[in-house]
Amino acid sequence: MVSPLCLLLALVLLYHRPASSLDCDLPPRHGGPETFILVNQMGRLSLLSCLEFRKDFQFPQTLVDGSRLEKTQARVVVQEMLQEVFSLFSTNDSFEAWEETVLDKFLIELYQQLEDLEKCLEKEWKVGLSALGSEDTTLAVKRYFQGIRLYLKEKEYSSCAWEIVRVEIRRCLFSINKLIRKPRK
């Protein structure tokens, strides 16, 4: 059963448009240990028992490795990734796979990070700053998450499939942290 709080948060984010600019300091919670702790606590199965479910989701590593993204573009990518993670874990199928209390905390943490990003973007918009994120980078993020969704559907949302996705999302969150912390122009 989907908790009412998470359902409300999901609806807010589904109708929320990606922001276009960001040039402010984010609170320490962005990329902080709380998100990693929560995603680790969600694990219910031994990863070893799910090895035959492994899949390379082809994470768009060029988004976090190279220095081709300006600070504003990097923030747009971070926002898009966080929205996709939130959307993925807000589904009914996700609520059936994870312990509800930990999942709720994880979604609330993601939501708070997205709100912080939105506040920064609103401030920038008011002072007339606007730099659009590259459509190619946003499309790469969307393709990556679409691949994850198709994989879950193909594996009929099994416990092992969700465990593999949880580990992949942990990798994604690590990359988001790397993107946030990387010095930009």
Side-chain angles (χ1 to χ4, degrees):
M1 170 133 232
V2 177
S3 77
L5 174 62
C6 285
L7 186 58
L8 178 62
L9 292 175
L11 289 173
V12 168
L13 285 175
L14 286 174
Y15 293 103
H16 175 79
R17 296 189 185 269
S20 60
S21 170
L22 181 64
D23 191 24
C24 68
D25 293 325
L26 295 171
R29 96 165 124 251
H30 284 268
E34 183 66 22
T35 309
F36 292 106
I37 291 168
L38 290 168
V39 80
N40 284 333
Q41 288 176 351
M42 288 167 60
R44 288 185 168 175
L45 299 173
S46 164
L47 191 54
L48 293 175
S49 67
C50 298
L51 289 179
E52 73 267 12
F53 282 77
R54 287 182 300 176
K55 174 160 175 70
D56 179 4
F57 293 103
Q58 300 179 355
F59 181 80
Q61 196 64 39
T62 57
L63 297 180
V64 293
D65 283 346
S67 59
R68 67 184 187 103
L69 291 180
E70 293 181 11
K71 188 175 184 179
T72 53
Q73 290 174 321
R75 300 300 193 213
V76 170
V77 169
V78 167
Q79 185 182 41
E80 185 66 35
M81 286 180 162
L82 289 175
Q83 283 180 332
E84 291 285 350
V85 171
F86 186 92
S87 175
L88 182 67
F89 281 87
S90 296
T91 65
N92 283 334
D93 295 313
S94 177
F95 276 90
E96 292 174 14
W98 311 113
E99 197 275 309
E100 190 174 341
T101 304
V102 177
L103 181 59
D104 282 346
K105 287 179 184 176
F106 177 67
L107 291 172
I108 288 168
E109 180 68 25
L110 291 175
Y111 180 77
Q112 288 172 339
Q113 290 181 28
L114 283 163
E115 271 205 335
D116 292 340
L117 281 168
E118 184 62 30
K119 287 177 186 175
C120 289
L121 295 165
E122 286 176 8
K123 288 177 187 176
E124 294 236 339
W125 183 75
K126 286 180 182 175
V127 296
L129 299 174
S130 67
L132 293 177
S134 167
E135 286 183 27
D136 290 342
T137 57
T138 302
L139 187 57
V141 171
K142 288 187 179 296
R143 270 195 220 122
Y144 167 68
F145 280 95
Q146 183 61 27
I148 291 173
R149 285 182 180 86
L150 289 173
Y151 166 80
L152 285 167
K153 185 176 180 179
E154 175 186 301
K155 298 297 183 184
E156 298 177 349
Y157 304 94
S158 72
S159 297
C160 272
W162 272 111
E163 182 60 22
I164 296 298
V165 168
R166 183 190 67 81
V167 171
E168 181 68 17
I169 294 304
R170 189 173 61 189
R171 176 181 175 210
C172 179
L173 292 171
F174 178 77
S175 296
I176 288 172
N177 183 39
K178 188 176 176 182
L179 197 56
I180 289 171
R181 305 291 178 230
K182 185 180 267 188
R184 302 272 173 207
K185 23 181 172 164

